[in-house]
């Protein structure tokens, strides 16, 4: 069931996300350096694009800390395209959200997390009979940063062996846009919290603009 939803998602993603709009939203996620580059380019073109928010996320799992950044932009379609190219050239993930999706899909939620966490959320939501629809998806082609945060309790000679092993962990980041019926929003937000998935309610972004 999950795989079939992902196939539908990917098919939907092939549809133009701009829909001939002059302005669109864009979410870019990946390592801190890449997002810094995107933010700098956005600030340099502030008359054409604006930064709605930026988050730096640290997720602790067992002995490993997974670190990534994501940023949400709104502005000129052509400038957003330039910024998305910076993202892809540096192994990041992005999704572009056109007014078409805002008008057609109710209660949009943006999810950002390691790919394994997103798949666990989808599985848990299915088991709990929580209704949702995939709209857009993208994954990083480069790996996000990981490090070990509990090895200071270990002897130094053990840390020298363990640190490189954990830091070589390959972690792919996923950025997902889903649509959720109103009655299931709080339920899926709880499932996301349980799986350490970062959630943004897109409707609230619109209210703040």
């Amino acid at each position: 069931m999950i795989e079939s939803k992902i196939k539908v998602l990917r098919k939907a993603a092939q549809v133009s996300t701009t829909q001939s709009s002059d302005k669109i939203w864009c979410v870019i996620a990946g390592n801190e350096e890449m997002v810094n580059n995107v933010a700098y380019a956005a600030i340099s073109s502030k008359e054409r694009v604006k930064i709605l928010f930026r988050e730096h996320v640290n997720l602790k799992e067992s002995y490993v800390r997974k670190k990534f950044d994501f940023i949400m932009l709104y502005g000129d379609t052509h400038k957003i395209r330039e910024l998305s190219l910076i993202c892809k050239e540096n192994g990041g993930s992005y999704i572009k959200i056109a007014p078409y999706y805002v008008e057609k899909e109710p209660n949009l939620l943006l999810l950002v997390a390691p790919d394994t966490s997103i798949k666990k959320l989808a599985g848990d939501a299915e088991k709990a009979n929580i209704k949702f629809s995939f709209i857009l998806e993208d994954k990083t082609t480069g790996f996000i940063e990981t490090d070990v945060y509990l090895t200071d309790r270990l002897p130094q000679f053990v840390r020298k062996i363990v640190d490189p092993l954990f830091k070589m962990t390959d972690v792919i980041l996923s950025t997902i846009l889903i649509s959720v019926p109103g009655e299931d929003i709080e339920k899926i937000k709880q499932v996301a919290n349980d799986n350490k998935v970062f959630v943004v309610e897109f409707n609230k972004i619109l209210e703040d603009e």
Side-chain angles (χ1 to χ4, degrees):
M1 180 63 76
I2 295 173
E3 291 299 322
S4 64
K5 282 180 175 288
I6 290 175
K7 288 179 182 178
V8 171
L9 180 156
R10 287 173 177 161
K11 184 177 180 180
Q14 293 173 359
V15 179
S16 171
T17 57
T18 58
Q19 296 292 323
S20 301
S21 300
D22 292 327
K23 291 188 176 182
I24 59 174
W25 294 268
C26 182
V27 180
I28 288 175
N31 62 55
E32 183 177 6
E33 181 179 359
M34 181 276 293
V35 177
N36 282 343
N37 291 337
V38 170
Y40 179 82
I43 292 169
S44 299
S45 302
K46 60 183 179 181
E47 72 283 355
R48 297 177 63 192
V49 64
K50 64 179 179 178
I51 299 172
L52 300 182
F53 68 84
R54 178 179 177 171
E55 293 288 340
H56 180 71
V57 182
N58 282 290
L59 298 177
K60 294 181 179 180
E61 297 179 3
S62 301
Y63 291 96
V64 180
R65 178 168 46 213
K66 302 174 182 178
K67 298 186 286 186
F68 61 88
D69 283 40
F70 70 94
I71 190 169
M72 189 162 197
L73 309 166
Y74 177 71
D76 176 78
T77 299
H78 298 294
K79 188 61 186 181
I80 292 290
R81 181 176 181 276
E82 291 177 19
L83 299 178
S84 67
L85 290 176
I86 293 174
C87 167
K88 273 304 171 188
E89 287 171 358
N90 290 275
S93 70
Y94 74 88
I95 53 176
K96 292 186 284 189
I97 308 167
Y100 168 84
Y101 294 115
V102 178
E103 294 168 5
K104 297 294 183 181
E105 299 291 343
N107 307 316
L108 294 173
L109 295 183
L110 174 71
L111 310 177
V112 185
D115 191 52
T116 52
S117 298
I118 293 289
K119 289 179 178 178
K120 181 68 163 53
L121 176 149
D124 290 350
E126 287 278 358
K127 292 175 185 176
N129 199 30
I130 299 172
K131 297 179 178 63
F132 65 97
S133 300
F134 284 104
I135 306 299
L136 297 170
E137 175 203 39
D138 195 27
K139 301 177 189 289
T140 54
T141 55
F143 301 117
I144 63 173
E145 184 180 351
T146 61
D147 63 22
V148 185
Y149 72 92
L150 290 180
T151 51
D152 55 343
R153 300 181 184 178
L154 300 174
Q156 186 173 5
F157 78 93
V158 176
R159 291 205 302 271
K160 288 182 179 179
I161 297 173
V162 172
D163 277 351
L165 296 177
F166 279 104
K167 289 182 179 180
M168 289 173 63
T169 302
D170 295 339
V171 180
I172 295 173
L173 189 69
S174 285
T175 306
I176 307 283
L177 186 69
I178 64 172
S179 175
V180 187
E183 64 273 14
D184 283 339
I185 288 181
E186 294 305 318
K187 295 177 185 177
I188 202 159
K189 284 169 62 178
Q190 182 58 55
V191 174
N193 183 65
D194 293 342
N195 286 285
K196 298 182 179 180
V197 173
F198 202 98
V199 179
V200 177
E201 293 186 60
F202 196 77
N203 290 350
K204 291 187 176 181
I205 296 294
L206 299 178
E207 291 171 4
D208 291 340
E209 288 187 7

